[in-house]
Every structure is written in C-alpha cells, then in structure tokens.
Amino acid sequence: MKRRILFIPSTTSGGVYYYRCYTTMKSITSNTSEFEIEINNTFKFTDLEKDEIGKNYSIVWVHNGLYMTDIQNEFWKMIIYCKKNYGTKFILDLDDYWEYHKFHPAYNACMFNAFPDKMMINFKLFDYITTTTEYFKSVISEYFPESKIFVFPNAISLKDSQFSIKDKTKSTKLRLGITGGSSHTEDIKQLLEFPKYLTSKQLEQIELVFCGFDTSGERVEIDENGKVISKTKIDPKNNWWFKTENKFKDMLGDNYKRVETKDIVKGEFGKIYNDIDVILVPLDNNKFNRCKSELKFIEAGFTNTAIICSNVIPYNNFGVNGEDCLMPKEPNPKEWARVIKKILREPKLLERITLYNRIKVIGFRNLENITKDRIEFLRSI
C-alpha cells in the first residue's frame, strides 16, 4: 500500500518552489511506487481540514512553515491535532535563514510578523528538518536535535532540458551575467562600478547581461494584524534595479543588455544562460547569506557557464578558487575588475574552471542521486 505524503509549499512559483518542491517531489514519485505525493498550499487549517489531513496523509512535509496572518495559529493547531489523533509525522524544509538581514527587502515584514519567534515554535512541533547545506544544518542544530536534521542539497535533473545547454549562442564578446533576485540589492554594490577599472579596449571585449532582477512590482501595505490594506504598482523608474541598470548603461553603453527573466516552472528560466559565458555572483558576508546554498554553481555547471563569486560561505565551502571558479580577494569593484581582466587575458583558464565545475556538479548535484537519499529518508520514517 502506498504511503500518502502531503507537501505544503510556501509558494507555487519561482526558484524556491521549483527546487525544493516541484522537481523534488516529482522525482520521488518517478523513482518509486512506494509514495503518493500531493502538493497543496490552499489550506486554511479549519477543523474539517485538520481531520482530512490526519486521515489522508501519514507524512506532511512543509516548506518554511511561516505565515503572516492568523493562519499561523491554525497551522500549529493542525500539527498538534494530527500528531495526537493520527500519529502524523511532520517534516520542515528550510532553505533560508529565518531572520533576514537589515538590507533584505522583506526585513520589515520578517520582523513585524515575528518570523524568528515563530520559527522557534516550529522547531518544537516538527519531527524532522530537511535543509540545503551542512553549514545551515549546523546553524539549525543550535535549536533542533542534529540527528533529526537531514541535508538534501539543491539539484538539477540530468533530464531538465532548460538547463541542458551545450552550445550557447555565438558572440565575439565575453558575456558577463548577473542573475539574482531582488534580495541581493546590497550584495551587488560590491561590484557595481567594476567597469571603471577596465581599459577602453577591455570594455569593448565584454558585454554585461542583466537578468532576473525585479524591474517592476507592487508595494503592499498591511495593518497591524497582517491584513492587506492596499497594493500600489511601483513605477519602474523608482525601482532600485532601474537605477542600477542605468549606472551600468552609463559605464558600458552598447556593451550592456537586459534579458527579461523567464518562468522556471514552465521550463524557460534556464535558457537565459544561452546568452551568458560567465556568471557574476556577489554575496556579502552575513548570517543570512551564509545559510544560502551553492545553487548558482549548480546552474552554472549544468549550463556550461563559468562562475566568479564572492569568497564567502556557502561558495567557498563548495567551490575551489582557481579550479572550478574564481573568487575576488576583497568585496570591492576594483578586485572584481582584476578577476575579470584575468579571464580576458587567459581564455584557457575560463575553459578549465567551466569544465571542472560542470564535472563536479553533474556528478554530485544531479537530482537523480539526491532523490535516492530522499527516498531512503522517507523509508526510515
């Protein structure tokens, strides 16, 4: 008889959903007939739903487990009720530290909604925790039994066509890509003015490809109870990224290009790497960032893209400077420019770090292998 599992994602779009829920759950059911998995995040955790969850699922796997409304209390009640009445096992999946740094765009929402305090309650209620890196596991183990924390790294399937890029579009320039999200507004400042340290000849040899960042959106106002009061469209010209792009345009002129981000769940996002030879990944050294994963290494490896990244955890826990990546010695634009000059002078170095990272990632961060570990974990519960 199949064991039924309910996975409750924190969102049903974007990279978090794709890497921690959509592809991972699909891979489990494709590789074994032991489990039947339903993905659903529409619950209000009413009394009726609590019984439905308890009766129908022996395992409930939850991403993040944090809510900004009164649903949080009903969520906790559901866990207590199902464990007591049905013996349901609960797994919490974490891929981000629960207290955002002060420059994070969602910092105020995080603190207003008491996410750090809510996570401490989650730790008391869940039976197991799954996460992305050994470092993050060590942080979580300060609050939760280490023997019940399991590391399942982010991974990409060998069959994922959007990341199966072997032959990129042709270009006479070295295309440097920046492909992060809007939470990296502070991180990007360390390389923002790197073009000023390149000669005019070197500037003609590169093209900056800016992709993935928010250039539009809306401002959401909430009351003291977390209820949405209003939603206002943000004028792109007032957006931080719009201003950042203009700075790059001023320094690079025609050697700058924006590639609009694509939907990863629809299998489109990975194709942005067709137009990128080297991905630039700046990251400040703070606790929130140190708990991130080496996901950009994985995307780079699968798409035959070289990576230049900050010399901080999690990147220096995975990559080796000069072997499968390059790492600036200091977090400033002059040092980023020095590394970019190096690969302009040494094309063989670029080829080598691209190949070595690809070999490592294909071997150790393919979803097929990680799925085997997830299945063994589920069998043990």
Side-chain angles (χ1 to χ4, degrees):
M1 183 178 178
K2 288 186 177 182
R3 297 182 67 187
R4 299 193 70 201
I5 298 172
L6 171 65
F7 193 102
I8 304 177
S10 59
T11 178
T12 54
S13 63
V16 171
Y17 175 66
Y18 190 74
Y19 290 115
R20 301 307 295 178
C21 175
Y22 179 74
T23 58
T24 55
M25 298 303 109
K26 185 177 179 181
S27 184
I28 289 171
T29 55
S30 295
N31 282 276
T32 179
S33 59
E34 298 170 63
F35 306 103
E36 180 181 331
I37 301 177
E38 179 184 344
I39 299 171
N40 190 337
N41 74 337
T42 63
F43 294 106
K44 302 299 181 184
F45 306 114
T46 62
D47 288 344
L48 180 61
E49 288 178 334
K50 289 170 190 173
D51 268 316
E52 288 178 353
I53 292 171
K55 289 177 181 177
N56 292 318
Y57 307 99
S58 61
I59 297 173
V60 178
W61 208 335
V62 182
H63 180 264
N64 189 281
L66 296 174
Y67 295 88
M68 289 193 280
T69 66
D70 290 341
I71 289 180
Q72 184 75 68
N73 290 329
E74 298 308 313
F75 170 72
W76 287 331
K77 290 177 184 177
M78 178 273 296
I79 295 177
I80 295 169
Y81 181 84
C82 289
K83 291 178 73 169
K84 179 180 178 181
N85 292 282
Y86 297 99
T88 312
K89 297 298 182 182
F90 284 84
I91 308 166
L92 178 64
D93 186 62
L94 293 177
D95 66 333
D96 267 334
Y97 186 58
W98 47 89
E99 184 170 343
Y100 301 165
H101 60 77
K102 63 181 180 179
F103 296 109
H104 193 290
Y107 172 77
N108 289 336
C110 168
M111 302 312 291
F112 177 82
N113 288 282
F115 281 174
D117 296 328
K118 289 178 178 179
M119 188 58 74
M120 294 303 110
I121 297 175
N122 279 344
F123 288 154
K124 294 180 184 297
L125 296 176
F126 278 83
D127 299 294
Y128 305 94
I129 292 178
T130 55
T131 190
T132 50
T133 69
E134 290 293 337
Y135 177 85
F136 198 8
K137 176 181 177 178
S138 71
V139 172
I140 298 169
S141 68
E142 297 175 18
Y143 311 95
F144 195 86
E146 185 176 9
S147 62
K148 295 186 176 182
I149 306 171
F150 296 82
V151 175
F152 301 117
N154 285 324
I156 293 174
S157 171
L158 297 169
K159 302 174 184 177
D160 196 332
S161 60
Q162 69 176 307
F163 292 104
S164 299
I165 298 172
K166 296 179 181 179
D167 298 312
K168 296 178 182 285
T169 56
K170 304 299 181 183
S171 175
T172 58
K173 298 180 183 291
L174 180 70
R175 296 164 296 184
L176 308 172
I178 302 176
T179 64
S182 59
S183 64
H184 294 289
T185 51
E186 190 68 17
D187 303 321
I188 200 175
K189 290 179 181 178
Q190 62 181 262
L191 62 73
L192 190 57
E193 297 189 337
F194 82 85
K196 291 183 177 181
Y197 297 94
L198 302 182
T199 66
S200 57
K201 182 179 179 181
Q202 289 166 339
L203 286 172
E204 285 302 313
Q205 292 177 281
I206 68 167
E207 179 181 55
L208 184 68
V209 181
F210 203 59
C211 177
F213 291 95
D214 297 341
T215 53
S216 63
E218 58 185 16
R219 183 176 288 107
V220 180
E221 184 181 357
I222 60 176
D223 64 18
E224 65 273 11
N225 297 314
K227 183 179 179 181
V228 175
I229 299 173
S230 65
K231 293 183 179 181
T232 308
K233 285 289 183 181
I234 298 173
D235 184 343
K237 293 183 179 179
N238 292 327
N239 185 283
W240 191 90
W241 293 116
F242 181 86
K243 297 172 184 177
T244 302
E245 284 189 280
N246 281 341
K247 290 181 180 179
F248 279 128
K249 288 177 182 177
D250 290 342
M251 291 182 282
L252 292 164
D254 292 337
N255 298 321
Y256 166 87
K257 179 171 72 173
R258 158 164 278 283
V259 176
E260 293 300 326
T261 190
K262 306 293 184 181
D263 191 327
I264 191 170
V265 180
K266 293 180 179 178
E268 301 169 347
F269 172 77
K271 292 180 172 58
I272 65 173
Y273 287 100
N274 268 317
D275 298 306
I276 298 172
D277 302 306
V278 183
I279 185 174
L280 307 180
V281 192
L283 200 67
D284 282 352
N285 188 12
N286 57 57
K287 192 168 187 177
F288 179 83
N289 282 346
R290 288 193 293 273
C291 292
K292 286 185 170 293
S293 78
E294 64 283 351
L295 180 57
K296 287 303 172 186
F297 270 88
I298 301 167
E299 291 181 354
F302 269 81
T303 58
N304 275 298
T305 307
I307 182 168
I308 302 176
C309 60
S310 296
N311 188 13
V312 298
I313 297 171
Y315 301 139
N316 57 18
N317 273 353
F318 184 81
V320 179
N321 185 27
E323 182 176 302
D324 50 27
C325 66
L326 292 176
M327 297 180 179
K329 295 177 182 177
E330 300 292 337
N332 60 61
K334 184 177 182 179
E335 180 60 17
W336 278 87
R338 181 192 67 81
V339 178
I340 291 168
K341 291 177 185 179
K342 185 176 179 67
I343 57 173
L344 284 172
R345 291 193 305 265
E346 303 178 41
K348 291 295 183 183
L349 173 63
L350 179 63
E351 291 178 15
R352 186 174 76 246
I353 63 173
T354 304
L355 176 61
Y356 283 14
N357 182 48
R358 179 171 174 79
I359 292 170
K360 178 192 287 188
V361 165
I362 294 294
F364 296 101
R365 289 295 182 269
N366 72 74
L367 184 58
E368 284 73 12
N369 281 344
I370 306 300
T371 296
K372 293 176 184 177
D373 296 334
R374 279 193 172 95
I375 290 172
E376 288 304 314
F377 163 66
L378 291 173
R379 285 172 177 162
S380 72
I381 297 176

